[in-house]
Amino acid sequence: MDKAVEELDQAQAQVELARLAQVLAAANAAYHTLDAPEMSDAEYDALKRRNAAIEALFPALKRADSPSDQVGGAVASGFGKVAHRVRMLSLENAFADSDVSDFDERVKKFLGIAQVSYTAEPKIDGLSLNLRYENGILVQAATRGDGEVGEDVTINARTISDIPQNVPAAPALLEVRGEVYMSHADFADLNARQVARGDKPFANPRNAAAGSLRQLDASITADRPLRFFAYAWGAISQPLGATQLASIEAFKHMGFQVNPLTALCHTTADLLAQYRKIEALRATLGYDIDGVVYKVNDLTLQERLGFRSTTPRWAIAHKFPAELAWTRLLAIDIQVGRTGALSPVARLAPVTVGGVVVSNATLHNEDYIAGRDSKGAVIRDGKDIRIGDWVQVYRAGDVIPKVADIDLSQRSDAAQPYEFPTLCPECGSPAHREDGDSVRRCTGGLICPAQGVERLKHFVSRGAFDIEGLGAKQIEMFFADPDLPVKQPADIFTLALRDDANPFKKLKNRDGFGEKSATNLFAAIEARRSIPLDRVIFSLGIRHVGEVAAGVIARHYTTWPAFEAAVRVAEPGNPAWEDLLSADGVGAVLAQSLIDAFKNPAERAAIEALAAQLTILPVQARANIASDIAGKTLVFTGTLEKMTRAEAKARAEALGAKVAGSVSAKTDLVIAGPGAGSKAKDAERLGVALIDEDAWIALAGLS
Ligand code: IVH
């Protein structure tokens, strides 16, 4: 008999996870690859649930090859998944010169020092890759994926000549990060070959590089010349140097390609000069770059600056201005999103912008079309946008193209101002604008089919339920299906039962489905029946509750019953409300939105129906935080002399603590510098522990 999950200690959990990974992988292989199942579905599901429950209790033990990440036929058909040991982050963007000086000011203010040096280097327009070397041997290459989990492309990466297989000078563990890209010359060659073969050419070198790296057949990758620049690192057993520049230099000595335009800068003026220099050379480089990346050079300072949720505080990408093109606006369509927002979309005569053919662009909202920004201020000199106008479109990075300007001299006399609909084009319900909101929203809620289908698409999206084989396309099909309808999330989990009950119209006999794909779909749905709390909260698609907020809320309440009970009773000002707001990053707007969703009878019923179908797994406080102050509430008072308040707060939060503004019975620790007044007295009165700055520095692991 298996031991109950709650009774396992850490070592036993690790052994059990290894066993389950092996058993489930064998069962998967028998099922998908050999098509010869060796255990019943119920047994298989029970093992999978056991695995997920152990992972929820010991998140740090989750394996890179965890069965939870391998749904349905994915193992046999796609790439293996790799959980990154150190998250792969993105960068904040700067556009104007003033954004760069603001960044420098922010860094100096955070650190409380007068001058900081930076490296400046080209931002390569390719895709990032993590290369793992153990004892100098390349053992794994993984794409960025969602930053937490990427795809295993080791075999393909081995075909890239810029990537050394052996690095004798490497420390025992070295993860090198950098960009895979394709040169302009190789791109032109490849596209010529594609066309000659009757295949579709790639839109740009970035797409060509991505398509080439993510080939299941590595011989195709080998046939397409890819290159690699090293510019960062992940997990390492030993520092590469004391500075960013020294670390890059170390990469060079190890045999990696590093960008020759990397320079050390000491002032904002230096940074901007390097930016202008790189921008001037851009057309001659022979590969695509889309900006210049600035990084704090001193690694001790990088460490002190740390991270926000998805970006480091110590780096920024200064983007080149977007490419522009003129074309004709053919029509304006209104799309209704998951939260009911009416979004105007420009349908354009196709035009090439920065190597990509654009035929749609966002027009943001009705104010933007009328020539006003979200605060009511005049934009484009007040020129409104009319159907038939010549419009200027631009693309910045991967984002949706936008309309920047219009050419009044080309406007026909017959052109009429655009009238934004006040009724939802999908369900006919009134569409309202709230005070101070530039977005008009359909008030139809769950009766609006557009909102319904968009919510379901969100429900199955990557950070939410992420059900293999159930994407946007299948959701649209099931939503409109008279025999096997899916109108709300709970319906997904009754699909198999309903299909069983309907012998004449089986899913497996329909177009686009067969025995295997229908079985796989039901298995993929079943595999998600037990799911961690954070994913459930995110999946509900509540306005203002994104993935990061959902994680924060889940870690705050840890279980579904606790979360649900709290949200049900919370009202502005009461203790449940105050408790919700004490979660890091949860503000009044988000809290109210959450409460409203649970108050609305129809939404509530949908949420309850869903919860009844699921085993919602508890979520623990962040696994990688094993500090003495994790989970504690801290108050800083008086003057800190060795770090700024901002740094102290960020450091405390990174260690899993909460920082509060005033001392109460809930406070665990007060850090008092010189000049501490009433807060130190409050601490004494309430018997809360009080320490000085030196003791704090030691506690924070900085001494
Ligand atoms: S540093 C923690 N340096 O830009 C920061 N990124 O927008 C790690 N990129 O995902 C990234 N050139 O794919 C860095 N010289 C460079 C880069 C660079 C291109 C990409 C990278 C990253 C993305 C962030």
Side-chain angles (χ1 to χ4, degrees):
M1 186 57 209
D2 287 337
K3 206 168 178 182
V5 169
E6 306 78 63
E7 287 170 10
L8 298 174
D9 64 26
Q10 174 132 354
Q12 291 167 329
Q14 189 160 15
V15 172
E16 181 66 343
L17 285 177
R19 181 184 78 88
L20 288 168
Q22 202 179 13
V23 173
L24 286 165
N28 252 333
Y31 183 88
H32 296 292
T33 323
L34 317 166
D35 253 340
E38 55 184 23
M39 65 171 73
S40 75
D41 284 359
E43 264 176 292
Y44 179 84
D45 289 341
L47 290 181
K48 241 181 139 150
R49 271 202 294 275
R50 180 173 170 81
N51 184 73
I54 300 175
E55 285 173 350
L57 281 177
F58 300 96
L61 296 183
K62 184 168 174 188
R63 299 168 58 90
D65 62 350
S66 162
S68 314
D69 291 332
Q70 300 172 2
V71 185
V75 223
S77 62
F79 294 96
K81 301 216 170 158
V82 175
H84 296 301
R85 301 228 174 159
V86 176
R87 272 195 308 153
M88 290 185 81
L89 297 156
S90 50
L91 294 170
E92 187 196 337
N93 288 330
F95 297 97
D97 289 2
S98 61
D99 296 341
V100 178
S101 43
D102 289 353
F103 164 69
D104 178 40
E105 287 306 320
R106 246 184 354 255
V107 166
K108 291 192 292 203
K109 188 158 169 232
F110 186 99
L111 296 168
I113 56 181
Q115 195 272 329
V116 174
S117 298
Y118 302 89
T119 58
E121 71 201 62
K123 182 169 190 298
I124 316 298
D125 197 7
L127 61 152
S128 47
L129 194 66
N130 184 68
L131 302 172
R132 188 177 171 81
Y133 291 86
E134 285 173 7
N135 301 314
I137 297 165
L138 176 64
V139 294
Q140 186 181 66
T143 62
R144 174 169 184 272
D146 62 2
E148 310 251 1
V149 177
E151 286 177 324
D152 186 337
V153 292
T154 313
I155 302 172
N156 301 4
R158 288 192 197 284
T159 68
I160 301 175
S161 60
D162 282 351
I163 296 179
Q165 306 276 331
N166 294 297
V167 179
L173 171 64
L174 170 65
E175 288 188 349
V176 180
R177 291 180 175 176
E179 203 85 352
V180 173
Y181 67 100
M182 192 179 281
S183 75
H184 291 157
D186 291 334
F187 170 67
D189 257 17
L190 171 62
N191 264 356
R193 280 188 283 147
Q194 289 284 110
V195 173
R197 227 184 288 127
D199 289 338
K200 228 176 110 187
F202 291 98
N204 54 46
R206 200 189 108 85
N207 289 0
S212 303
L213 186 67
R214 296 184 70 264
Q215 276 293 333
L216 285 170
D217 178 354
S219 67
I220 299 182
T221 313
D223 200 33
R224 295 180 180 174
L226 293 173
R227 295 161 190 247
F228 181 79
F229 275 129
Y231 53 64
W233 53 94
I236 41 174
S237 55
Q238 206 184 302
L240 302 166
T243 61
Q244 181 74 33
L245 204 61
S247 307
I248 298 301
E249 201 55 28
F251 282 153
K252 193 169 159 186
H253 288 302
M254 290 177 193
F256 291 93
Q257 301 297 319
V258 299
N259 197 287
L261 290 169
T262 308
L264 187 61
C265 302
H266 303 289
T267 61
T268 305
D270 285 357
L271 290 174
L272 295 175
Q274 184 66 9
Y275 174 85
R276 304 267 180 274
K277 177 177 163 189
I278 293 173
E279 191 179 28
L281 290 170
R282 185 179 184 188
T284 66
L285 294 177
Y287 51 87
D288 278 353
I289 63 172
D290 58 350
V292 178
V293 183
Y294 308 137
K295 300 173 188 167
V296 168
N297 190 40
D298 183 331
L299 299 188
T300 329
L301 299 184
Q302 282 194 6
E303 162 85 19
R304 283 177 56 190
L305 284 154
F307 304 89
R308 299 178 211 90
S309 61
T310 60
T311 56
R313 282 195 197 84
W314 44 263
I316 199 163
H318 190 181
K319 304 294 282 284
F320 292 133
E323 295 195 49
L324 298 162
W326 287 93
T327 187
R328 194 178 280 280
L329 175 61
L330 303 176
I332 297 177
D333 286 349
I334 302 290
Q335 282 177 353
V336 183
R338 133 179 96 77
T339 59
L342 268 49
S343 305
V345 178
R347 305 291 178 207
L348 306 164
V351 61
T352 303
V353 191
V356 174
V357 179
V358 167
S359 48
N360 301 310
T362 175
L363 291 168
H364 307 284
N365 54 54
E366 67 183 295
D367 285 349
Y368 190 80
I369 296 178
R372 290 187 302 270
D373 71 8
S374 57
K375 297 193 182 75
V378 166
I379 51 172
R380 292 190 306 271
D381 303 326
K383 287 178 279 185
D384 68 328
I385 297 173
R386 301 184 185 184
I387 295 167
D389 276 347
W390 277 91
V391 293
Q392 190 184 42
V393 230
Y394 68 101
R395 275 177 70 240
D398 271 344
V399 299
I400 313 163
K402 299 179 183 180
V403 170
D405 202 2
I406 60 155
D407 184 351
L408 271 189
S409 71
Q410 308 246 26
R411 176 175 284 174
S412 110
D413 292 340
Q416 293 297 315
Y418 178 72
E419 267 188 51
F420 204 89
T422 53
L423 295 179
C424 171
E426 300 285 341
C427 72
S429 303
H432 287 163
R433 279 181 71 166
E434 277 167 33
D435 269 356
D437 191 357
S438 40
V439 175
R440 193 174 280 279
R441 284 174 207 279
C442 162
T443 53
L446 288 174
I447 69 144
C448 176
Q451 288 189 52
V453 82
E454 290 307 318
R455 281 178 191 216
L456 283 163
K457 285 183 193 168
H458 171 79
F459 183 82
V460 298
S461 68
R462 183 134 91 169
F465 273 67
D466 193 14
I467 297 171
E468 185 88 23
L470 193 61
K473 218 175 82 197
Q474 290 78 13
I475 285 292
E476 282 184 4
M477 183 200 89
F478 282 120
F479 191 79
D481 191 311
D483 299 309
L484 210 50
V486 171
K487 297 289 188 194
Q488 57 168 355
D491 297 343
I492 293 173
F493 293 94
T494 58
L495 259 183
L497 269 180
R498 289 185 286 139
D499 192 50
D500 265 354
N502 192 353
F504 303 111
K505 289 187 171 158
K506 285 254 180 254
L507 185 62
K508 65 177 186 186
N509 299 327
R510 299 202 197 177
D511 267 3
F513 280 94
E515 177 93 47
K516 192 161 167 177
S517 58
T519 317
N520 282 352
L521 175 62
F522 294 142
I525 292 172
E526 235 21 68
R528 282 287 192 249
R529 211 180 268 282
S530 50
I531 185 155
L533 178 60
D534 50 341
R535 280 187 181 250
V536 176
I537 297 176
F538 175 59
S539 77
L540 299 177
I542 295 167
R543 229 175 119 198
H544 306 297
V545 184
E547 220 171 329
V548 174
V552 168
I553 296 167
R555 286 191 295 276
H556 185 73
Y557 292 109
T558 72
T559 67
W560 173 262
F563 161 71
E564 207 221 355
V567 176
R568 205 187 315 199
V569 299
E571 289 284 357
N574 75 8
W577 168 272
E578 293 302 334
D579 182 59
L580 176 54
L581 260 68
S582 76
D584 184 30
V586 175
V589 174
L590 191 161
Q592 192 59 54
S593 170
L594 202 55
I595 292 167
D596 288 347
F598 276 76
K599 232 190 228 144
N600 176 308
E603 293 207 32
R604 216 197 135 72
I607 294 172
E608 278 171 4
L610 171 67
Q613 292 290 333
L614 304 174
T615 305
I616 302 175
L617 304 168
V619 165
Q620 283 192 329
R622 273 202 190 279
N624 52 359
I625 297 173
S627 75
D628 292 340
I629 58 168
K632 302 261 165 76
T633 302
L634 274 47
V635 172
F636 291 93
T637 177
T639 323
L640 296 182
E641 286 162 340
K642 303 203 170 110
M643 62 173 73
T644 62
R645 277 286 179 90
E647 179 175 358
K649 182 164 188 281
R651 169 60 66 163
E653 285 170 357
L655 292 169
K658 277 187 220 167
V659 177
S662 59
V663 179
S664 75
K666 280 193 185 171
T667 312
D668 294 298
L669 184 63
V670 173
I671 297 101
S678 64
K679 288 183 193 167
K681 292 206 185 79
D682 289 343
E684 271 166 39
R685 183 168 50 79
L686 292 164
V688 175
L690 191 74
I691 59 171
D692 66 8
E693 185 175 7
D694 285 335
W696 154 248
I697 300 259
L699 197 58
L702 295 170
S703 56

